Every structure is written in C-alpha cells, then in structure tokens.
Amino acid sequence: MELRQMRYFVGVAEELHFGKAAERLYISTPTLSQQIKQLEREIGATLLIRHSRGVELTPAGQVFLARARETIQAAGLALKDTRRAAGLDEPVLRLGLLNGIPGWLPAALEQLATERFPNSTVTLEAGTTTDQVRMLTAGEIDLGLVRTPLTLPPAITSEHLAAEELGVLLTATHPLAARPELTPDDLAGLELIWIPRDSAPEFHDDALRAIGPGVRLSDISMSHSQLRSALLVRRSAISLGSRRAATADVVWRPISGRPLVARYAAVWRTDSRNPVLQAMVVSPGLTVVSQHVVAD
C-alpha cells in the first residue's frame, strides 16, 4: 500500500465522485478507478459503493478514510521534522507562471510538487516565454512554463505538457462573427492584434504563418490577458486565442484548413539541485500532467 493510493482514496471519498476526484488529483478517471480497485484487493474489502451518479463509503471505507488521513498527515510531519533536524530549509519550488496559460496547468504542477515532495511550497513568478528562459538562466525560478516552438540554451531542458487549439477572436458585432468557422481568405486585409514578438518570437511567427499572409499586423500589440480588451476598442480588428477566451462580447471561431495549435512545455535547468524539482522530473517525470487535455 502506498501513500499515493491513500491520497487517491481520500480524494474520491471527499468528492464522492470519480470524475471530480480525478480532476482534483490531475490523473485520468480510469487510472484512478484502477488504483482504488487495487487498494480494495490489497485490503480485501469493498471501500466504495459505486453508483451511476457517484459513490458512497462503506463502513470499512469510513474507517479507512479516517486512518488514511492520519497516515498522510503523519508522513508529512515526519518529513518536515526530519528536514528541520537536519538543518534543511523548507522545500520551495519557484514556478514561472506563463501569461495566458490554462489555469489547470500550474495547478496540476503544484499538486504534483505536493505529491512528490510533501510539505513543499510553490511560489509563482509571472512572465512571458522569453521571461521564463531569462529567469531560469539567472536562477530566479526553478521550473518555467513556455510556449513552443522555442530554441533553448544547452543548459535548459524541456518536456511537453499540453496543447490547445487556437482560433480567431473577434467582437460579437464583427461582420464575420456570424460564420461558424473562418478561412485564411476571410481574414485577408483585416488588422490582427497580436502579442509582442519579443515575448515568444518563434511562437509569434508560427501563428502568423498559420493564418496566412493576408492579415495586416496591427501597430499595437498586447499580452494574452489584454487581447480581448483591445478588440473592444478596435472593433474591426481580430486577434488569436483559445476557445476559453470567449466572452459575451468577444466570440471565438476556428480556422478551417489550417489548424493553429498552442503547445505548452515545462523547462528547467539540467544542473538544478532543487529537491522538489528533482522529485517532479524523476521517472515518470511530468508525464502525469500531460495526461490532461485543455478543455474547450
């Protein structure tokens, strides 16, 4: 029996739903179900009664929930007290927070840090892709988040985490808003408000190539969080973004024929000795994070 399985069981017992627990634990629902079944086989008793709308605890499950919580807490205290006795500082992971990234991704990395290194603390430093590489090089963060493609210095390694489709953002009153999807020909001649090139040069250029040469790059550029606001000022312009950027005033439309994808990766220094980072990247590494697909 592993602490990881206890944490999985506590998650299901608290959510009373495998799907919700899987989202909270950042693993797939089938994997979570298999782990609970394995735990029940090892104990030799049914801990959960599964229903179509959720689960409920058996008497044995209620007892195991209480003991599992005690065990998880005791394990955390053991690690914390031992590190303190050895004169070691509290483990901290400085995580670079990429502008405009899906919210679940840094949350998943924080959860992974806690699972792999209990009682660790995650701090956040916001910045662009270029900022992330600079902060890593300067030793200001331990783990960065970037958009790819990206050419990295030799001392920095990366691992793909997730991808999401990008499309066209435009105001709900724009003449093209009524169309279910847009083609590069539809966009010809339109003003495109896009991110500054120096924030992520290769991703910036990749996106422009994907939508075709007909668009007219705007004389203004904005960060991902400001693109929607800029469109409400220049209502005839368009921008690029994910479906989750849509609001009542700004709609999202896919680009037909030329799939445009944003890819997110974790980056870190190969010479880093941060214990939290080392625990996260050791096999199977960050692959548990990439099990998730960014929701539309």
Side-chain angles (χ1 to χ4, degrees):
M1 185 183 305
E2 302 176 8
L3 278 174
R4 173 172 53 91
Q5 291 174 312
M6 290 188 178
R7 292 193 180 95
Y8 289 168
F9 176 79
V10 170
V12 176
E14 290 179 349
E15 296 291 342
L16 295 178
H17 191 279
F18 272 94
K20 293 179 180 178
E23 292 179 4
R24 166 178 158 181
L25 296 165
Y26 301 105
I27 63 173
S28 67
T29 302
T31 298
L32 178 59
S33 180
Q34 291 170 6
Q35 289 293 320
I36 298 301
K37 288 179 180 178
Q38 181 178 335
L39 184 63
E40 290 177 321
R41 283 196 298 268
E42 183 173 349
I43 293 173
T46 300
L47 303 177
L48 300 169
I49 299 175
R50 295 158 174 80
H51 301 294
S52 59
R53 294 186 177 181
V55 299
E56 64 177 284
L57 296 174
T58 65
Q62 293 173 351
V63 171
F64 187 75
L65 174 60
R67 297 296 178 263
R69 283 170 169 163
E70 293 172 357
T71 302
I72 293 170
Q73 183 179 21
L77 289 174
L79 178 60
K80 183 177 182 179
D81 291 345
T82 302
R83 288 184 58 83
R84 184 183 295 115
L88 299 175
D89 295 332
E90 290 296 318
V92 175
L93 179 80
R94 298 167 299 172
L95 175 63
L97 183 62
L98 181 64
N99 296 334
I101 203 164
W104 68 263
L105 191 46
L109 290 169
E110 182 177 9
Q111 177 70 25
L112 182 62
T114 302
E115 289 183 358
R116 298 274 177 87
F117 210 113
N119 294 314
S120 60
T121 300
V122 176
T123 62
L124 300 174
E125 295 289 340
T128 65
T129 289
T130 301
D131 292 334
Q132 304 288 309
V133 177
R134 177 191 59 77
M135 289 190 290
L136 266 182
T137 303
E140 297 173 2
I141 59 174
D142 304 300
L143 182 65
L145 293 171
V146 298
R147 288 182 179 86
T148 61
L150 176 65
T151 301
L152 293 170
I156 296 178
T157 190
S158 67
E159 184 166 342
H160 173 78
L161 296 180
E164 65 178 336
E165 180 186 9
L166 299 187
V168 177
L169 296 175
L170 61 167
T171 61
T173 57
H174 194 284
L176 296 178
R179 301 188 184 184
E181 62 179 18
L182 302 173
T183 68
D185 289 341
D186 294 330
L187 309 179
L190 295 181
E191 176 186 8
L192 173 69
I193 301 175
W194 193 216
I195 60 173
R197 187 178 186 277
D198 60 5
S199 67
E202 291 166 80
F203 170 73
H204 174 281
D205 295 347
D206 221 29
L208 292 183
R209 283 192 293 269
I211 62 173
V215 297
R216 176 171 52 88
L217 192 61
S218 177
D219 60 342
I220 62 172
S221 56
M222 296 285 173
S223 69
H224 284 275
S225 60
Q226 298 171 320
L227 290 175
R228 287 177 299 186
S229 299
L231 289 177
L232 295 176
V233 175
R234 294 197 177 182
R235 290 181 170 270
S236 61
I238 61 171
S239 187
L240 302 174
S242 65
R243 190 189 301 267
R244 57 189 169 83
T247 64
D249 297 321
V250 175
V251 300
W252 181 92
R253 295 292 180 262
I255 304 173
S256 64
R258 294 194 182 186
L260 178 57
V261 177
R263 294 176 175 84
Y264 304 104
V267 291
W268 65 93
R269 289 173 56 129
T270 55
D271 61 354
S272 174
R273 295 186 177 181
N274 183 288
V276 186
L277 175 65
Q278 291 177 347
M280 294 175 70
V281 301
V282 71
S283 182
L286 303 174
T287 54
V288 294
V289 173
S290 58
Q291 291 175 358
H292 283 256
V293 177
V294 181
D296 289 336

